């Protein structure tokens, strides 16, 4: 129940874009326990499968949006997945080789004061040097985007609209 993602969801819905917001296993009222990213990738794949079966959703025109750990999971799941057309990773946790092999239009966005996801983790990552990667470092926000959520939302929504 993250406020940042609720704002982005609301903006996408207002533009007629169907959204599905879910918790990973063990978060909120979800069953299960944290699974170090492995089970969470399965959760995301299950959500994608569900969403792709919805009548108002066009298969192959689905965007993933993830925040922090969810950004890492979205970046992991999108590779070679024909259901996913684009990805927006907000303040994503960046692990070695995470960006490797991703040919989807991908927004990597974080604040310049983010201590949990330092901008250098994105800027200095040689894997992001691809025409499919779009990097945005916003001046001012930390990892939680307080006071910058509307600006963040506008950038993410604009990216998704362009790349769906």
């Amino acid at each position: 129940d993250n406020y940042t993602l609720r704002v982005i969801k609301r903006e996408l819905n207002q533009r007629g874009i169907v959204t599905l917001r879910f918790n990973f296993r063990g978060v909120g009222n979800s069953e299960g326990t944290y699974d170090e990213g492995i089970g969470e990738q399965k959760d995301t794949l299950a959500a994608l499968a569900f969403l792709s079966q919805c009548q108002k959703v066009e298969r192959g025109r689905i965007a993933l949006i993830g925040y922090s750990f969810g950004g890492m999971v979205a970046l992991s799941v999108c590779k070679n997945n024909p259901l996913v057309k684009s990805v927006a990773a907000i303040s994503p946790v960046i692990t070695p080789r995470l960006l490797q092999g991703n040919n989807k239009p991908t927004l990597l966005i974080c604040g310049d004061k983010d201590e949990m996801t330092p901008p250098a983790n994105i800027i200095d990552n040689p894997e992001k040097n691809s025409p499919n990667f779009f990097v945005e470092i916003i001046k001012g926000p930390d990892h939680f985007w307080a006071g910058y959520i509307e600006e963040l939302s506008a950038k993410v929504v604009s990216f998704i609209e362009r790349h769906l």
Side-chain angles (χ1 to χ4, degrees):
D1 194 24
N2 179 279
Y3 181 70
T4 302
L5 294 176
R6 281 190 317 207
V7 169
I8 293 169
K9 176 189 179 303
R10 181 190 70 221
E11 294 299 318
L12 289 167
N13 289 160
Q14 288 174 351
R15 288 164 174 77
I17 297 173
V18 175
T19 59
L20 171 66
R21 194 169 50 97
F22 68 95
N23 282 329
F24 292 125
R25 57 189 65 208
V27 176
N29 292 326
S30 296
E31 294 179 1
T33 58
Y34 172 70
D35 195 24
E36 299 185 29
I38 305 302
E40 292 78 7
Q41 288 180 39
K42 291 177 184 175
D43 296 343
T44 304
L45 291 169
L48 282 170
F50 171 80
L51 192 59
S52 72
Q53 299 302 312
C54 293
Q55 194 171 12
K56 293 183 177 184
V57 175
E58 188 177 331
R59 290 179 63 93
R61 287 193 67 210
I62 296 174
L64 285 177
I65 301 170
Y67 176 39
S68 194
F69 174 77
M72 179 189 72
V73 173
L75 291 165
S76 298
V77 167
C78 74
K79 300 174 190 181
N80 302 315
N81 190 316
L83 295 175
V84 179
K85 185 155 185 193
S86 61
V87 181
I90 302 162
S91 299
V93 173
I94 302 287
T95 58
R97 295 179 298 285
L98 177 65
L99 305 179
Q100 194 172 40
N102 177 2
N103 62 357
K104 313 284 181 174
T106 300
L107 174 64
L108 301 169
I109 188 167
C110 73
D112 71 341
K113 307 276 190 288
D114 193 328
E115 294 177 357
M116 295 176 80
T117 304
N121 289 3
I122 295 172
I123 295 168
D124 296 341
N125 189 317
E127 295 170 359
K128 62 105 176 90
N129 293 328
S130 158
N132 294 321
F133 285 99
F134 302 85
V135 175
E136 291 259 3
I137 309 299
I138 308 301
K139 292 205 179 295
D142 63 12
H143 193 73
F144 301 100
W145 293 90
Y148 296 88
I149 292 174
E150 296 300 327
E151 180 180 357
L152 169 66
S153 178
K155 288 183 181 294
V156 171
V157 169
S158 175
F159 176 83
I160 297 300
E161 284 183 313
R162 281 192 321 271
H163 296 283
L164 264 188

